[in-house]
Amino acid sequence: MFRENNAGVTFAKGFTAAGVKAGIKKSGKADIAVIYTEKAAVVAGTFTQNAVAAAPVHVSKAVVKSGTAFAIVANAGCANACTGQQGMDDANQMAAITAQELGVKPDDVIVASTGVIGVNLPMDKMEPGIKAAVKELNANGSVAAGNAIITTDTKSKACSLEIEISGKKVRLGAIAKGSGMIQPNMATMLCFITTDVAINQKLLQKALSEVVETSFNMISVDGDMSTNDMVVVMANGMAANVAITTENDDYKIFCDALDKICTGISQEIAKDGEGATKFLTIKVTGSPSFADAKTVAMSVAKSPLVKTAFFGQDANWGRVICAVGYAGVQMIPEQTVVKFGDITVFDKGMGAAFDQTALRDVMEAHDITISIDMGLGDEEATVWSCDLSYEYVKINGEYHT
Amino acid sequence: MFRENNAGVTFAKGFTAAGVKAGIKKSGKADIAVIYTEKAAVVAGTFTQNAVAAAPVHVSKAVVKSGTAFAIVANAGCANACTGQQGMDDANQMAAITAQELGVKPDDVIVASTGVIGVNLPMDKMEPGIKAAVKELNANGSVAAGNAIITTDTKSKACSLEIEISGKKVRLGAIAKGSGMIQPNMATMLCFITTDVAINQKLLQKALSEVVETSFNMISVDGDMSTNDMVVVMANGMAANVAITTENDDYKIFCDALDKICTGISQEIAKDGEGATKFLTIKVTGSPSFADAKTVAMSVAKSPLVKTAFFGQDANWGRVICAVGYAGVQMIPEQTVVKFGDITVFDKGMGAAFDQTALRDVMEAHDITISIDMGLGDEEATVWSCDLSYEYVKINGEYHT
């Protein structure tokens, strides 16, 4: 059963977590998180495709390549991006301090940072912060860890899920942050997933890479792709299921569970987009391919005119069909049908006659589904997004206000 | 000499124009424009690449294909897009009414519409409006015509230019509208250009198509591509220059003049972007190709995080380098240099040390140039854009306010 905002990364057996205040965030809120597994975990990850990848991304890629990990150390308030050799040294130092405190090796520690670009990490604050976090590691520490990685998020995103594999209870849990700078084609923002499933590293990476395509890569808040994003999963095998080493039924059960975790967290991120007042689900059907369907859905999700219309509760289907038309894939207006909720607003080349009152009810709801049937095939894709409000401008143009 | 907001489309010999109030705009302002040449003009055009092209786009493409035209009729307040067969009938009727009043053929009349999508033209208002506009055609009518095609623009865009070809004075002039739904890879918004140059249709089209690539296709306000956009140029030959029939020096002189007109008007459109408080010039140099340079510049121009930062006068170069990094073309942070105005803010992989006061002066100016040297080649591209303000959200989400 999928559960939101629950035990998170300490739900699976053998994992502990903590979050502490180290003085990195100007607000004084918690800003260093550590997640630890008592038994070595196989580890998989997907990372930002931004050419300007931050130092912690480089460090963590190497850890994933090594195949196993014992811990994740993360900070908010400083992205350690565009910081040159000093940034690499600092990221490695974060791993080294954490490793020493835990009695593991530095390349057993995943490193993540989020916050302002172009500023060096205050290592004088990082060191005591990491040490304090390790001391506070506990089996109920997921909420504290989740709160220590958020930035402009209004809340921490967390979830957990229990399934059964070869007669054994297997648990998965996750915490995530992400609100602005969110864009497809990548591992979006920070998400840490823990599980006690027994699985080999190759299949864990395969499962994650596939699931990310239909979850994290299907959300868009503002079309900006961060320099620091990563999704990391650690599997420590303590569920004692028959280890998954082939793509058998157990693998499929695990993939399905991982998908539920990632999709749920992705939707939470889109819902908590900077300044969001609406949660938009954009479902494109009748497409010749998943890629085409995704292109159309993203074109609609990223249109500032569509986003401001939904903020204004204005049923402006013209802006939606316009964004479909310029998406750059095959589109025949005379075969296209667009619905807001259950109400057809555009029907094969022309506006549809609809019940104004019923449509107003759809537009006034918080969750709105935009369905677009291309009439060209059998493939589909669903993207989750949000509206564009005054608050988004305020959050990101705050110097001015 | 290039002149802004001047004689516009009536600057060249033989052209008259008018703009009248027909009651199509809710505001009651002028909404029908007619431009006429007493001598048949060769005509060229570029049109929206949106798959959902409006009825007037289809009609006008056919006129351009015919090679010559006598007039342009345009209305604001209703886009006549997504209006099916009725829309095609109405667009053809606009041409027919105009042609009858002028004593020319319907396929001598370019038709353009801009405004709300999905609403049929009120032909009962269009017919008397067009007739009134034809009666008011005069040699000083460019301003009135310009005002009749604007929508959310704060002002009409117009310019004119006089050059000499084969010892003859040749004049060019233009009016344009465009403020929201502005996106590259197309003939952006409505722009009508008139000239008395003598040139054949093939070269006129070639000149326009080339110039559009580096002018209208290099601006971005919000990344949305309209269903109705067109740039049309009419050349009536009344300058009596030796007709341009090969790509000789005269052709180059004309292309250069057309480029000045189109670039000038494009910049005016970006400056008058919906809610704009800043005019941003994004110049990418050191690129392996024009296409790559343009991709990088557009990635920066379209980033909501970059746009809101400039609105807030926040010298947040991290958002700029982030948008460069996710543009999807080759980029090596250690070879990249970014300047705001004359001030280097990012220098080969890291933030640069800069004079905070001098940078503040740059950020507080209305016109700001962002220079990005990729360090990878000799090609370059320049894109013009604007910031993203509360006013943009207000204009496009006004239902809410």
Side-chain angles (χ1 to χ4, degrees):
Chain A
M1 193 177 66
F2 178 77
R3 293 188 290 187
E4 281 177 23
N5 287 312
N6 216 299
V9 289
T10 53
F11 185 60
K13 275 185 196 166
F15 287 92
T16 51
V20 300
K21 298 173 187 176
I24 302 158
K25 282 183 184 167
K26 282 179 188 166
S27 65
K29 292 184 178 172
D31 43 23
I32 290 187
V34 173
I35 302 168
Y36 172 67
T37 169
E38 59 182 77
K39 185 160 175 279
V42 292
V43 63
T46 59
F47 299 90
T48 181
Q49 291 169 20
N50 196 310
V52 189
V57 169
H58 293 293
V59 170
S60 295
K61 277 184 175 175
V63 175
V64 167
K65 207 172 174 188
S66 82
T68 55
F70 270 99
I72 298 169
V73 59
N75 75 278
C78 172
N80 192 14
C82 300
T83 44
Q85 186 56 47
Q86 183 66 48
M88 286 300 295
D89 293 347
D90 291 345
N92 281 314
Q93 191 61 19
M94 279 177 74
I97 297 165
T98 309
Q100 186 167 36
E101 295 301 300
L102 291 169
V104 300
K105 290 181 296 178
D107 72 355
D108 284 328
V109 182
I110 292 281
V111 179
S113 296
T114 177
V116 183
I117 293 174
V119 176
N120 286 310
L121 279 173
M123 291 308 291
D124 57 326
K125 293 175 181 170
M126 292 296 296
E127 182 159 0
I130 293 170
K131 288 179 177 174
V134 170
K135 282 196 182 68
E136 290 191 19
L137 283 171
N138 70 88
N140 297 310
S142 184
V143 171
N147 287 332
I149 61 170
I150 61 176
T151 52
T152 55
D153 310 57
T154 63
K155 58 172 187 170
S156 173
K157 270 69 76 171
C159 64
S160 59
L161 180 68
E162 188 172 275
I163 55 173
E164 199 175 291
I165 294 182
S166 66
K168 302 287 184 181
K169 299 268 187 227
V170 167
R171 291 170 163 194
L172 301 89
I175 57 171
K177 66 85 54 175
S179 191
M181 253 195 205
I182 289 181
Q183 149 91 6
N185 291 331
M186 57 166 324
T188 304
M189 306 313 300
L190 300 185
C191 179
F192 306 131
I193 306 166
T194 58
T195 174
D196 45 25
V197 74
I199 188 169
N200 71 21
Q201 202 271 338
K202 188 182 158 198
L203 288 177
L204 184 66
Q205 182 66 52
K206 182 172 184 188
L208 180 65
S209 296
E210 286 180 2
V211 163
V212 160
E213 282 303 313
T214 55
S215 55
F216 293 100
N217 285 353
M218 297 304 276
I219 59 174
S220 176
V221 169
D222 55 14
D224 277 286
M225 184 195 289
S226 158
T227 52
N228 286 53
D229 304 346
M230 65 172 78
V231 179
V232 169
V233 54
M234 295 201 295
N236 68 7
M238 288 177 73
N241 57 296
V242 176
I244 300 171
T245 55
T246 62
E247 294 180 40
N248 56 12
D249 285 349
D250 289 352
Y251 175 75
K252 281 172 198 136
I253 292 168
F254 175 71
C255 282
D256 182 58
L258 190 63
D259 183 60
K260 282 196 174 70
I261 290 279
C262 290
T263 300
I265 284 268
S266 297
Q267 293 176 352
E268 289 301 307
I269 289 174
K271 272 183 198 171
D272 196 31
E274 286 177 343
T277 73
K278 300 284 184 186
F279 174 59
L280 305 178
T281 298
I282 299 148
K283 183 172 184 179
V284 175
T285 59
S287 182
S289 68
F290 170 78
D292 276 14
K294 180 179 172 181
T295 298
V296 169
M298 277 292 175
S299 183
V300 173
K302 292 169 72 172
S303 160
L305 287 172
V306 170
K307 292 167 103 70
T308 47
F310 278 89
F311 169 60
Q313 303 192 154
D314 174 8
N316 195 323
W317 58 262
R319 294 181 184 175
V320 172
I321 199 73
C322 180
V324 174
Y326 67 65
V329 300
Q330 189 193 5
M331 185 265 185
I332 301 169
E334 290 69 28
Q335 291 178 221
T336 307
V337 176
V338 178
K339 290 182 184 184
F340 291 174
D342 291 331
I343 299 172
T344 300
V345 290
F346 179 83
D347 191 13
K348 301 186 175 177
M350 296 178 64
F354 47 75
D355 180 339
Q356 296 279 358
T357 309
L359 188 58
R360 183 165 305 164
D361 289 346
V362 169
M363 297 303 293
E364 286 177 354
H366 180 270
D367 293 6
I368 304 175
T369 298
I370 303 167
S371 305
I372 301 158
D373 184 346
M374 305 294 287
L376 298 170
D378 294 321
E379 299 301 319
E380 60 181 68
T382 300
V383 159
W384 300 282
S385 189
C386 58
D387 59 340
L388 172 58
S389 70
Y390 293 117
E391 194 64 18
Y392 179 88
V393 179
K394 185 174 181 184
I395 291 168
N396 292 300
E398 57 191 359
Y399 247 63
H400 201 81
T401 58
Chain B
M1 194 176 68
F2 178 77
R3 295 187 289 187
E4 281 175 22
N5 286 313
N6 214 300
V9 288
T10 53
F11 185 60
K13 276 185 196 165
F15 287 92
T16 51
V20 299
K21 299 173 186 174
I24 302 158
K25 283 182 183 167
K26 282 180 188 165
S27 65
K29 291 184 178 173
D31 44 23
I32 290 186
V34 173
I35 303 168
Y36 172 67
T37 169
E38 60 182 75
K39 188 162 173 278
V42 293
V43 64
T46 59
F47 298 89
T48 182
Q49 290 168 21
N50 195 311
V52 189
V57 169
H58 293 292
V59 170
S60 294
K61 277 183 174 175
V63 175
V64 167
K65 206 170 175 190
S66 83
T68 55
F70 269 101
I72 297 169
V73 60
N75 75 277
C78 173
N80 192 13
C82 301
T83 43
Q85 186 56 45
Q86 183 66 46
M88 287 299 297
D89 292 347
D90 290 345
N92 281 315
Q93 191 61 17
M94 279 177 74
I97 295 165
T98 310
Q100 184 166 35
E101 294 301 300
L102 291 169
V104 300
K105 289 181 297 177
D107 72 356
D108 284 328
V109 182
I110 293 280
V111 179
S113 296
T114 177
V116 183
I117 293 174
V119 177
N120 285 311
L121 280 172
M123 292 306 292
D124 57 325
K125 293 174 181 172
M126 291 296 296
E127 182 159 0
I130 293 170
K131 288 179 176 174
V134 170
K135 282 195 181 67
E136 289 191 21
L137 283 170
N138 70 89
N140 298 308
S142 184
V143 171
N147 287 331
I149 61 170
I150 61 177
T151 53
T152 55
D153 311 58
T154 63
K155 58 173 186 171
S156 174
K157 270 68 76 172
C159 64
S160 59
L161 179 68
E162 188 172 275
I163 55 173
E164 199 175 290
I165 293 181
S166 66
K168 302 289 185 181
K169 301 267 188 228
V170 168
R171 292 171 162 192
L172 301 88
I175 56 172
K177 66 84 53 176
S179 190
M181 253 194 203
I182 288 183
Q183 150 92 5
N185 292 331
M186 56 162 330
T188 304
M189 306 315 300
L190 300 185
C191 178
F192 305 130
I193 306 165
T194 59
T195 174
D196 45 25
V197 73
I199 188 170
N200 70 23
Q201 202 270 340
K202 187 181 159 196
L203 289 177
L204 185 66
Q205 182 66 53
K206 183 173 184 186
L208 180 65
S209 296
E210 286 180 3
V211 163
V212 161
E213 283 302 313
T214 55
S215 56
F216 293 100
N217 286 353
M218 297 303 276
I219 58 174
S220 176
V221 169
D222 54 15
D224 278 285
M225 183 196 286
S226 158
T227 51
N228 286 53
D229 304 346
M230 64 172 78
V231 179
V232 169
V233 53
M234 294 201 295
N236 68 8
M238 288 178 71
N241 58 295
V242 177
I244 300 171
T245 55
T246 62
E247 294 181 39
N248 57 11
D249 286 350
D250 289 351
Y251 175 74
K252 283 173 194 133
I253 292 168
F254 175 71
C255 283
D256 182 59
L258 190 62
D259 183 61
K260 281 196 175 70
I261 290 278
C262 290
T263 300
I265 285 267
S266 297
Q267 292 176 354
E268 289 301 308
I269 289 174
K271 272 183 199 172
D272 196 30
E274 286 177 343
T277 73
K278 300 283 185 188
F279 174 60
L280 305 178
T281 299
I282 300 147
K283 184 173 182 178
V284 175
T285 59
S287 182
S289 68
F290 170 78
D292 276 14
K294 179 178 172 180
T295 298
V296 170
M298 276 293 174
S299 182
V300 174
K302 292 168 74 173
S303 159
L305 287 172
V306 170
K307 294 169 101 71
T308 47
F310 278 88
F311 169 60
Q313 304 192 149
D314 173 8
N316 195 323
W317 57 263
R319 295 181 185 175
V320 172
I321 199 73
C322 179
V324 174
Y326 68 64
V329 301
Q330 191 194 4
M331 184 266 184
I332 301 170
E334 290 69 27
Q335 291 178 221
T336 308
V337 177
V338 178
K339 290 182 184 183
F340 291 174
D342 291 332
I343 299 173
T344 300
V345 290
F346 178 86
D347 191 12
K348 299 185 176 177
M350 296 179 63
F354 47 75
D355 180 338
Q356 295 279 358
T357 309
L359 188 58
R360 183 164 306 165
D361 288 346
V362 170
M363 296 304 292
E364 286 177 355
H366 180 269
D367 293 5
I368 305 175
T369 297
I370 303 166
S371 304
I372 301 157
D373 184 347
M374 304 294 287
L376 298 169
D378 295 321
E379 300 301 320
E380 59 180 67
T382 300
V383 160
W384 300 282
S385 188
C386 58
D387 59 340
L388 172 59
S389 69
Y390 294 116
E391 194 62 18
Y392 179 87
V393 179
K394 185 174 181 185
I395 291 167
N396 292 300
E398 56 192 359
Y399 246 62
H400 200 80
T401 61

